[in-house]
Amino acid sequence: MRNTRALAVAGAAVAALGLSAPAAVAWETPSNITALPSVIAPGGQLTITVDGCRGGGTATSNAFSPTRLSPVGGGGKGNEGDRGGAGGNGTARGTAVINSNARPGPYDITVDCGGRTMTKPQAFTVIGGVRGGIGGSTTTGATPTDVAIGGGLVAAAVVGGGVFWMRRRAERRI
């Protein structure tokens, strides 16, 4: 009977330890990468927030240069209880500038926090920019097709005006 009780107590202790260990490991693993705004134009500033990255880290993507993530919040224990850490809630944040030559489309963000990495696929989308100030055109001058069409319209107007003028002149003689 004593062996059964001892086995039950040992099993309960192992279960309690087993259930608490993943929570402690998950706290130090980066999770929930957030990029705001989720749709951005080239040259815009993207704010990246990562939970579970209390010591800070680095965010990388094909759309921006590697960006430093700094712990957020005041020092002390805050919401972390006995876990300590620089950030009040284990969150790190950084601001990235989207490259001016970034192509439109979705981009991933990879975060490295203390040797642990996490990738969020399609974290944000780069949209095409507007070429303002040049009338929406990227070519200079008229193309040969433009000249041919314009010349044809001018010739048709001259012929049509000449025919109209000749008819009016002919009506006056009668």
Side-chain angles (χ1 to χ4, degrees):
M1 191 77 153
R2 287 188 175 186
N3 288 340
T4 307
R5 285 185 187 168
L7 187 58
V9 170
V14 169
L17 181 62
L19 292 175
S20 65
V25 171
W27 185 259
E28 295 180 11
T29 302
S31 64
N32 192 27
I33 298 172
T34 305
L36 293 174
S38 61
V39 178
I40 191 167
Q45 290 188 347
L46 184 73
T47 301
I48 303 162
T49 306
V50 183
D51 294 335
C53 190
R54 57 187 168 140
T58 305
T60 57
S61 176
N62 291 334
F64 56 81
S65 301
T67 301
R68 175 84 179 119
L69 301 174
S70 300
V72 176
K77 295 182 180 179
N79 295 334
E80 294 181 7
D82 294 333
R83 290 181 288 255
N89 56 4
T91 301
R93 183 175 295 143
T95 303
V97 177
I98 304 299
N99 297 333
S100 60
N101 60 351
R103 293 180 178 244
Y107 285 89
D108 302 345
I109 294 178
T110 300
V111 173
D112 180 11
C113 292
R116 297 181 187 262
T117 60
M118 178 182 177
T119 299
K120 181 172 184 179
Q122 300 181 358
F124 65 98
T125 303
V126 174
I127 58 174
V130 177
R131 291 185 168 255
I134 58 174
S137 174
T138 57
T139 60
T140 56
T143 63
T145 304
D146 294 336
V147 172
I149 292 171
L153 290 172
V154 168
V158 168
V159 170
V163 169
F164 179 75
W165 183 67
M166 294 298 283
R167 273 188 84 195
R168 295 287 288 171
R169 194 169 162 206
E171 287 177 2
R172 286 189 204 159
R173 287 188 187 168
I174 298 178

